[in-house]
Amino acid sequence: MASVDIRDVRKAFGAVQIIKGVNVEIADGEFVILVGPSGCGKSTLLRMIAGLENITAGEIAINGRVVNNVPPKERDIAMVFQNYALYPHMSVKDNMAFSMKLRKAEQSEIDERVSKAAKILGLTPLLDRFPRQLSGGQRQRVAMGRAIVRDPQVFLFDEPLSNLDAKLRVQMRSEIKELHQRLKTTTVYVTHDQIEAMTMADKIVVMHDGIVEQIGAPLDLYDNPANLFVAGFIGSPAMNFIKGTAKGGQFVAEAGFSLPLPKTGESVEGEAVTLGLRPEYIRMDPKGFAAEVVVVEPTGSETQVALHIGKDGQQQEIIALFRERISAKPGDIIHIAPMEGRAHLFSTKSERRVSITTV
Amino acid sequence: MTTPASPKSGGTGHTASTWERLQSDRNWLGFWFMVPAAFFLLFFLAYPLGKGVWMSLTDIKIGRPGQFVGLENYEELILYDKTFLYATGFTLVYTAIASAIKFALGLYLAILLNNNMPFKSFIRSIVLIPFIVPTVLSAIAFWWIFDSQFSIISWFLRKINLIDHNINFLGDPLMAQATVIFCNIWRGVPFIAITLLAGLQTVSPSLYEAATLDGASRWQIFKNITYPLLTPIIAVVMTFSVLFTFTDFQLIWAMTRGGPVNATHLMATYSYQKGILGGQLGEGSAIATAMVPFLLAAIMVSFYGLQQRKWQQGAKE
């Protein structure tokens, strides 16, 4: 087990800057998820930790040792690839034993470790099969088994669940989390799926366009997004953004209604601001502002409603999520209001959050 | 009738004539599609092969129909015809040496070409040149290159004072054998290299990355990942290569006509010499027919080799 320190790391492919100075500290045993939209550089960063890509500038240290010039096999890391990268001509057992065979480990030790890993992952009955004879979830487990057998300092996962169907993904998610709780090996996990990030991580690193937007615990990012990007990226359905101006302690929407201004750490009087409102923090309130129901999507446990707010001609669509079942039909007018202390305020210009946490 | 009946289940109304059924039935339709190909195969492959085997059992000569003589021609060849035995031996040696070297060079070249390098596609197309030049043309060029008087190699070596008289490339039996094997290799390598290159490109790069992280050196990656994953395509391409090499005719005929003193005769050239030039059609056919068991053996080896790879087969248990 080891810590991983990423210090001002940059990566350029020719003239194209992919990663523009990233700092992340990963503590021993931590489960860290790099999340962001495609092309944000998260996979490249992971491959740099693995040693599959050169580091253009900056430093990566594993367990205190700078590994910039250390070849991959000496970094003592194991990686699970998006396409699993199982050796198709080897049985499950041989796939898992390959790295130990290369290290010329004793056969008895190989057998012991392989069967232990197989037991952890429920692969024991499949040991003699070839990858072709396995289902997607089983292949995924073999790929993890191959990593576990090595007992590395750090596990790296590169979008390991994206080739699985939705149901299996949920199942594997908790399996990976459970595995981490059991092995306590430092893990760096890359995904573009913020739900995976929220549900599994000890710490999330939100990346965008080659920079780190915010680092924090899942709920911390959810409750206190540092900027518009993180606010919009974390949470599903995504946060609603309403543009407007701060005027006399009120938020005046461009769409033509006003709301009480959330508490801010600095004065924003007269500035262009954006109000961020999570769908689940909107409630029905007879004294709230009027909204026209556009689409009602009940899921049983909750009801997602698309609403039009604002005057004719300046209407904006927002999403609201109600825990109760509602009888409104498209075309109806309902009255809604943000829950107390739950609205965020962002500076439209700098995109930073200016409201302070009140809950 | 309320439910519309499909044309096939319309048996109640009228019975379709045999002709109509032949026109619409799926199996028969497949048969019709196969007819042209089957015709060509039967008429241009099976018939000549059968005819050749039959001729090898007769004493047919040019201008004389010939009579059935059983295995007399084979007896004659095996017991009394030293040239036949020599040609058979040389054919085996020629095939073995040329195929082995073609394989090694082809694989090496494929791996080289699979790397990223400047002018990649240009270099790849250059490699194909020996393969696209008609065999006879390249054979004639080699004939000049290895000529006893005008050889450019001898000329060059003399200029730099390495030798004092011309090398008799095609005049000395052993030298001539080595030379024709060299030419066959030169011509055959591109086919193997390009086919194996295509095979190499189907190997996912993440397998190499996974193996690198597992701690494999370049050589270990080749031995444990690249080579095993290439075996299916190696089996196919080497089968073809062995078949083509074994049945080679053009190169030898254009360069040496089997000489000197029959040293470079292959079974194919000897069969031609005996049957067409010598007029002994029966014996010539027997020589040609004698190639069949060797070819079948080569196909069998590759066929059973292919069957062994369990990892390739589908998701069945």
Side-chain angles (χ1 to χ4, degrees):
Chain A
M1 282 187 270
S3 61
V4 178
D5 290 313
I6 299 167
R7 297 185 205 116
D8 196 29
V9 161
R10 287 159 200 277
K11 175 75 187 177
F13 291 107
V16 189
Q17 288 259 335
I18 303 294
I19 294 177
K20 306 160 184 164
V22 164
N23 288 286
V24 185
E25 275 179 24
I26 299 165
D28 186 8
E30 213 169 15
F31 195 127
V32 171
I33 293 193
L34 307 178
V35 67
S38 10
C40 71
K42 56 193 189 301
S43 280
T44 309
L45 188 59
L46 191 79
R47 293 168 59 83
M48 283 157 86
I49 300 174
L52 297 172
E53 300 280 357
N54 290 325
I55 299 164
T56 308
E59 268 182 0
I60 293 180
I62 297 176
N63 215 6
R65 177 170 75 135
V66 175
V67 293
N68 286 32
N69 296 313
V70 176
K73 67 172 175 177
E74 285 163 32
R75 295 190 183 193
D76 201 7
I77 39 110
M79 184 156 165
V80 175
F81 290 82
Q82 182 171 359
N83 62 1
Y84 318 136
L86 300 180
Y87 311 124
H89 56 296
M90 297 185 196
S91 66
V92 169
K93 193 196 274 169
D94 292 338
N95 259 287
M96 287 163 71
F98 185 59
S99 64
M100 297 193 65
K101 277 187 189 157
L102 290 177
R103 268 183 285 152
K104 306 219 159 52
E106 294 283 325
Q107 189 59 43
S108 58
E109 194 198 348
I110 296 178
D111 290 342
E112 190 196 312
R113 287 229 219 159
V114 168
S115 64
K116 197 175 143 201
K119 205 181 270 174
I120 292 175
L121 293 163
L123 289 170
T124 312
L126 307 175
L127 280 178
D128 292 322
R129 291 213 197 162
F130 288 100
R132 283 211 162 191
Q133 301 166 312
L134 303 176
S135 68
Q138 290 167 336
R139 283 180 209 179
Q140 167 68 57
R141 271 193 214 112
V142 176
M144 293 201 299
R146 199 165 62 178
I148 292 174
V149 164
R150 299 199 26 209
D151 190 21
Q153 302 260 26
V154 184
F155 280 136
L156 305 176
F157 289 85
D158 188 5
E159 310 223 11
L161 304 184
S162 50
N163 287 357
L164 300 178
D165 64 56
K167 199 172 165 190
L168 207 50
R169 206 178 300 166
V170 174
Q171 186 194 331
M172 291 307 295
R173 215 157 69 191
S174 55
E175 270 185 42
I176 293 177
K177 194 171 180 178
E178 206 184 307
L179 194 70
H180 175 255
Q181 284 163 1
R182 183 164 169 174
L183 301 174
K184 298 192 173 57
T185 306
T186 313
T187 302
V188 185
Y189 184 112
V190 161
T191 179
H192 60 263
D193 181 352
Q194 57 91 21
I195 302 229
E196 265 173 43
M198 291 296 285
T199 49
M200 298 166 77
D202 293 329
K203 186 157 91 185
I204 296 180
V205 178
V206 182
M207 291 183 66
H208 181 217
D209 272 348
I211 56 159
V212 171
E213 295 278 0
Q214 192 176 2
I215 300 178
L219 293 179
D220 195 33
L221 296 191
Y222 182 85
D223 289 333
N224 304 305
N227 52 42
L228 277 175
F229 178 80
V230 177
F233 193 77
I234 300 288
S236 172
M239 188 184 278
N240 299 297
F241 293 121
I242 304 166
K243 282 192 176 149
T245 330
K247 229 181 253 169
Q250 289 285 104
F251 170 80
V252 183
E254 281 172 10
F257 59 90
S258 25
L259 288 168
L261 198 66
K263 277 192 188 131
T264 57
E266 56 201 276
S267 167
V268 288
E269 180 64 25
E271 280 178 33
V273 287
T274 302
L275 190 76
L277 215 47
R278 291 208 182 274
E280 52 274 36
Y281 293 146
I282 294 173
R283 62 187 168 84
M284 304 253 211
D285 184 348
K287 284 179 276 176
F289 55 91
E292 182 192 345
V293 177
V294 184
V295 179
V296 181
E297 299 171 61
T299 62
S301 61
E302 54 199 17
T303 311
Q304 185 174 320
V305 185
L307 299 161
H308 273 169
I309 54 172
K311 296 183 295 214
D312 281 345
Q314 286 174 307
Q315 277 177 336
Q316 184 190 351
E317 185 166 298
I318 63 167
I319 303 289
L321 208 57
F322 299 112
R323 296 307 308 256
E324 61 269 32
R325 302 194 172 183
I326 63 165
S327 54
K329 280 185 279 299
D332 290 356
I333 302 290
I334 59 172
H335 288 80
I336 55 170
M339 286 184 199
E340 187 112 14
R342 289 296 196 175
H344 299 286
L345 198 67
F346 302 89
S347 158
T348 304
K349 202 166 136 233
S350 71
E351 302 197 345
R352 272 186 318 108
R353 185 167 61 109
V354 291
S355 59
I356 53 168
T357 320
T358 49
V359 178
Chain B
M1 285 228 317
T2 49
T3 48
S6 75
K8 271 194 178 175
S9 62
T12 44
H14 72 293
T15 354
S17 73
T18 314
W19 178 238
E20 274 174 57
R21 264 192 292 137
L22 284 187
Q23 278 180 309
S24 59
D25 186 272
R26 269 188 71 87
N27 292 334
W28 277 103
L29 200 65
F31 174 77
W32 291 128
F33 280 130
M34 275 177 6
V35 165
F39 170 78
F40 278 104
L41 284 178
L42 284 173
F43 199 75
F44 291 111
L45 276 173
Y47 169 71
L49 184 68
K51 178 89 177 178
V53 174
W54 167 249
M55 278 162 67
S56 74
L57 302 174
T58 67
D59 60 355
I60 183 170
K61 291 189 171 57
I62 286 185
R64 208 185 71 178
Q67 298 209 319
F68 181 79
V69 292
L71 295 175
E72 214 170 86
N73 286 329
Y74 294 95
E75 206 183 314
E76 174 76 19
L77 286 173
I78 292 168
L79 295 182
Y80 306 109
D81 191 340
K82 289 235 168 66
T83 309
F84 168 75
L85 295 179
Y86 194 84
T88 308
F90 181 60
T91 308
L92 290 173
V93 170
Y94 180 81
T95 308
I97 295 181
S99 297
I101 297 180
K102 276 191 278 190
F103 169 63
L105 282 181
L107 185 58
Y108 180 69
L109 208 55
I111 290 168
L112 274 189
L113 291 175
N114 198 33
N115 287 327
N116 264 325
M117 54 185 162
F119 311 113
K120 190 161 69 178
S121 42
F122 179 69
I123 295 174
R124 283 182 189 174
S125 38
I126 293 239
V127 167
L128 266 179
I129 284 181
F131 187 59
I132 43 177
V133 177
T135 312
V136 172
L137 289 190
S138 50
I140 290 171
F142 274 121
W143 183 37
W144 279 105
I145 289 173
F146 294 117
D147 187 83
S148 54
Q149 281 184 51
F150 305 111
S151 165
I152 188 170
I153 299 174
S154 294
W155 175 81
F156 178 75
L157 291 177
R158 266 186 17 208
K159 276 278 161 192
I160 59 169
N161 288 324
L162 267 178
I163 51 171
D164 53 8
H165 55 84
N166 278 0
I167 301 172
N168 195 6
F169 283 110
L170 297 174
D172 173 69
L174 209 60
M175 207 60 177
Q177 290 173 342
T179 306
V180 291
I181 289 177
F182 170 82
C183 296
N184 180 282
I185 291 168
W186 178 83
R187 202 188 135 64
V189 162
F191 169 67
I192 294 176
I194 294 295
T195 316
L196 293 184
L197 177 62
L200 278 177
Q201 288 177 339
T202 63
V203 179
S204 159
S206 63
L207 290 183
Y208 298 134
E209 292 177 350
T212 308
L213 294 181
D214 272 344
S217 63
R218 285 187 74 125
W219 167 247
Q220 284 170 324
I221 290 178
F222 173 77
K223 197 180 74 172
N224 294 301
I225 311 292
T226 316
Y227 185 77
L229 288 178
L230 271 187
T231 45
I233 197 144
I234 287 174
V236 172
V237 78
M238 286 320 290
T239 309
F240 276 108
S241 175
V242 165
L243 296 186
F244 290 150
T245 312
F246 195 89
T247 56
D248 201 1
F249 173 84
Q250 296 183 64
L251 197 76
I252 303 286
W253 199 252
M255 285 179 71
T256 64
R257 312 230 153 174
V261 276
N262 294 332
T264 59
H265 258 312
L266 296 178
M267 290 172 93
T269 53
Y270 189 51
S271 156
Y272 179 78
Q273 167 137 331
K274 199 118 206 190
I276 307 294
L277 301 184
Q280 309 282 338
L281 289 178
E283 274 185 53
S285 305
I287 299 170
T289 308
M291 292 165 78
V292 173
F294 292 104
L295 299 176
L296 279 180
I299 293 173
M300 285 298 159
V301 167
S302 119
F303 182 74
Y304 287 108
L306 277 174
Q307 266 195 336
Q308 272 173 5
R309 277 184 290 282
K310 258 199 288 176
W311 59 269
Q312 264 201 312
Q313 284 143 28
K316 282 171 286 174
E317 300 259 325

